[in-house]
């Protein structure tokens, strides 16, 4: 481990060579595409409902206008992809468990939108409470991801901190919706 807390790209004695520039660029594109797919699937689950039941729902007084969510999530998904790429390219003994936790948080991220938006017409308030449970699990998973990413790449860990902050904010909005609808 280097003095700045990050592990070196290929630990001595592992026999691992750094990835070529072409492989690294392709991987970065792959991580960005994976984030885009999660974002797009979430968008599909919420699109009809944002102007449907959610438009008339009792929302938290601190809820931002709907137009804020898209740009914020775009920045967060991009930061998540870059963070994962930074960890992936290090090729340390900790990379695989870190990437496993990253995938888990992506799955939870993907699960939240349909639970909160798409299930509400069928399940009512129960869907909103389910969404709250999922987003709380997501916050924990992202916190663990930061703890796994940080020792491998401090930058990667730091890139996820705005994500956690936004999730806590989103959880407060989710709680309000569940408690008041």
């Amino acid at each position: 481990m280097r003095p700045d807390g990050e592990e070196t790209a290929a630990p001595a004695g592992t026999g691992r060579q750094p990835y070529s520039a072409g492989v690294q660029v392709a991987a970065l594109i792959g991580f960005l595409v994976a984030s885009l797919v999660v974002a797009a699937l979430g968008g599909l689950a919420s699109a009809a409902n944002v102007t449907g039941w959610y438009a008339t729902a009792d929302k938290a007084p601190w809820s931002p206008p709907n137009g804020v969510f898209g740009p914020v999530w775009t920045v967060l998904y991009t930061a998540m992809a870059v963070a994962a790429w930074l960890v992936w390219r290090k090729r340390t003994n900790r990379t695989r468990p870190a990437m496993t936790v990253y995938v888990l948080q992506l799955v939870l991220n993907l699960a939240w939108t349909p639970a909160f938006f798409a299930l509400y017409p069928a399940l009512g308030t129960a869907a909103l409470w389910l969404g709250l449970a999922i987003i709380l699990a997501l916050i924990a998973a992202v916190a663990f991801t930061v703890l796994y990413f940080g020792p491998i790449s401090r930058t990667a860990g730091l890139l996820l901190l705005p994500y956690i902050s936004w999730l806590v904010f989103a959880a407060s909005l989710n709680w309000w919706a569940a408690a008041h609808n």
Side-chain angles (χ1 to χ4, degrees), residues 34 62 101:
W62 58 90
V101 174

Coordinates of all heavy atoms in Angstrom, one line a residue, residues 34 62 101:
A34 N -23.1 0.2 -18.4 CA -23.8 -0.5 -17.3 C -24.6 0.5 -16.5 O -25.8 0.3 -16.2 CB -22.9 -1.3 -16.5
W62 N -39.7 19.6 1.2 CA -38.3 19.8 0.7 C -38.1 19.1 -0.7 O -36.9 19.1 -1.1 CB -37.3 19.4 1.7 CG -37.4 18.0 2.2 CD1 -36.7 16.9 1.6 CD2 -38.2 17.5 3.2 NE1 -37.1 15.8 2.3 CE2 -38.0 16.1 3.3 CE3 -39.1 18.0 4.2 CZ2 -38.6 15.2 4.2 CZ3 -39.7 17.2 5.1 CH2 -39.4 15.8 5.1
V101 N -19.6 -6.0 -4.1 CA -20.4 -5.1 -3.4 C -21.0 -4.0 -4.3 O -22.1 -3.6 -4.2 CB -19.7 -4.5 -2.2 CG1 -20.5 -3.4 -1.5 CG2 -19.3 -5.6 -1.2

